[in-house]
Amino acid sequence: MKAMKGKTKKLTTGQAIVEFLQNQFVERDGVKQAFFAGCFGIFGHGNVGGIGQALFQYPTFKYYQARNEQAMVHAAIAYAKVKNRLGAFACTTSIGPGATNMITGAATATINHLPVLLLPSDIFAARNADPVLQQLEYPGSKDISVNDSFKPVSRYWDRINRPEQLISALQQAMRTLTSPSETGAVTICVPQDVQAECYDFPMELFSERTWHIQRARADKFVLQEAARIISGSKNPVIIAGGGTIYSDAGKVLKELVNRTGIPVAETFAGKGSLNFDEPQNLGAVGVTGTPGAISACEKADVVIGIGTRYSDFTTASQSAFQNPDVQFININVSGFDSFKQGGLSVIGDAREAIKELDKLLGSYRISGKYAAVIKKSNEDWNKIVDKVYSLNHGVPTSQGEVIGAVNNFSSPKDVVVCAAGSLPGDLHKLWRTRDSKGFHLEYGYSCMGYEIAGGLGAKMADPSREIYVMVGDGSYLMMSQEIVTSVQEGYKLTIILINNSGYSSIGGLSNSLGTKGFGTHYKYRDKKSGQLDGEYLPVDLATNAESLGAVVLRTNNIDDFKQALAEARNNDKTTVIYIETDREQRVDGYAWWEVPVASVSTADSVKEGFERMQNGKQRQRHYL
Ligand SMILES: Cc1ncc(C[n+]2csc(CCOP(=O)(O)OP(=O)(O)O)c2C)c(N)n1
Ligand SMILES: [Mg+2]
């Protein structure tokens, strides 16, 4: 580095970004790796001659073409998730719609605490040709463009109006992306003219740099206090969230709970913290939880949240914890999350904090009586899963049987990917996870359209695993075009496409609120009624998938489906297995969730829905 002092290199802003990115490394636990796997991008007039030219000039920094800007962010997010946040992608777009197409992706990344570097192009900094194509003019200020909309959904946001601003902006971008507590979407807006302008950048900017991903140690006194509270508890329960997995804390969690007997309930992001058959694992928590996990939370005197943000799906809209004396202990790298539920805030890395706690807990063990309840809950739940997996519902089959077939067929290290619809809740309950990365649910933003693009990112992160994308017809219709990218790049996905002719999950919710599935079926507008209650629409999703280059296996019943799974395994090309399911054959739910219901209505069904919701609200509590 010293030899470089004072030396400069003339590069465009675009070239400087790429040269910088390919020299960034991360290290955790002594293992070092390149942070960026490359750059997804769709070129337009905003970036083709700027960052586009730079990617052309540096083929060592791999460029991946996508079909939709939102989808490429989804792929980047999934990549980072499988890499436990130790790897990421950059995403470049043109200005205007190309840029704003990434806003949903940015929100998805930020909510899920997953790193992604967004490089939307921006309008000319020089402003000489204003308004340029796709420029939104804001009469109150020339300093605003559509890219300002990224601010609330980014963990760090900047705009590079002069090339040399990159020098500080890139440091902040890396700090944020590699910080376990702050990571999420980082947005660096690069005006189209500035991308192509050059500057004599200091050579040191392009030297190899390693960012140490630190395992922050929790405060000693606070840990002692946590141990004191747990030691005095009779019915503790651990809620394992995504932070448990990102910190790679599964092994120490297993040791802690095997020794102490404390049961574990898993959030969507935390599922896989323990294997499903670990005796202390009660499975899914909250709204889509198992009866055992729900009951343990309801009675718990101490709740130990590890790496969880306590979403309403985890807390059953704050109705899950009914013990009047319940105390929360929250182990989290983020102060913001650690102070939730009025809990004792233990700020630190999950793996290290669990190890420390394990030592401090000495010979603590839950009672034999409590252990017996946990054992019985798991035995009962296993029987229910077996029943759902082999329902023999006939044609059209049940979604539970489809999940069972995929779960039984897949290998322990294979990954199921999903995000929205009725599948996430069913998978949360039913999927028997056998590897910490085996259950890949984007349920922070629950963004329809994440599934296939996310599957692609997951496969790119670990090509040794088979990826099972499970997607409903609604999500498929919203965003399935990254099938083309998976074919282009030879990243094979097995996509289970479940057609139930519409938005079944919201249809069920609508029924429960008294609005009878209104607007959730894929049906023609009926001439007589004037409503969308005519015949079912003749959309042929299987042929659609075929047209995008996938191998398509059309199946009519569960036996066909099981055969197709075997056939798909032998393919090395993205394969879509198409099956129709019975929209009304649902998997039971065991907990409450707050959704608003009209407080006055002309329909009795809505009045009843309102009453039911009010009853549920009786169980909501404040935790202070
Ligand atoms: C982008 C986006 N828009 C809307 C929603 C609200 N939403 C959640 S599930 C759902 C229906 C999904 O339909 P489908 O994929 O067919 O799954 P199903 O409910 O039929 O299981 C909708 C509209 C969402 N989660 N994401
Ligand atoms: Mg559907």
Side-chain angles (χ1 to χ4, degrees), residues 604-619:
D604 285 345
S605 56
V606 176
K607 287 180 195 156
E608 285 159 22
F610 182 72
E611 281 304 311
R612 274 196 300 276
M613 198 51 70
Q614 292 308 108
N615 284 340
K617 282 180 74 68
Q618 306 281 322
R619 284 167 57 83

Side-chain angles (χ1 to χ4, degrees), residues 406 409-410 414-417 466-470 494 565 569:
V406 179
F409 180 80
S410 60
D414 294 347
V415 185
V416 65
V417 179
E466 288 282 325
I467 306 291
Y468 290 94
V469 173
M470 298 197 72
T494 301
L565 283 170
R569 170 58 64 90

Side-chain angles (χ1 to χ4, degrees), residues 82-99:
V82 172
K83 289 278 183 192
N84 275 342
R85 314 195 286 207
L86 302 173
F89 266 97
C91 297
T92 169
T93 73
S94 192
I95 69 160

Side-chain angles (χ1 to χ4, degrees), residues 422 472-475 498-505 522 583:
S422 57
D473 51 325
S475 272
I498 297 184
N499 190 357
N500 54 21
S501 296
Y503 306 139
S504 142
S505 52
Y522 282 177
R583 151 183 184 127

Side-chain angles (χ1 to χ4, degrees), residues 74-151:
H74 290 326
I77 292 168
Y79 179 89
K81 186 172 169 76
V82 172
K83 289 278 183 192
N84 275 342
R85 314 195 286 207
L86 302 173
F89 266 97
C91 297
T92 169
T93 73
S94 192
I95 69 160
T100 53
N101 264 358
M102 291 204 293
I103 291 174
T104 299
T108 310
T110 295
I111 285 190
N112 287 286
H113 300 303
L114 289 165
V116 50
L117 175 62
L118 306 180
L119 301 168
S121 299
D122 215 327
I123 49 174
F124 277 78
R127 303 180 184 169
N128 52 317
D130 278 10
V132 296
L133 176 67
Q134 301 174 330
Q135 175 171 350
L136 173 99
E137 288 185 283
Y138 181 71
S141 170
K142 273 279 182 184
D143 195 34
I144 284 180
S145 81
V146 293
N147 284 5
D148 287 79
S149 325
F150 280 95
K151 284 179 180 167

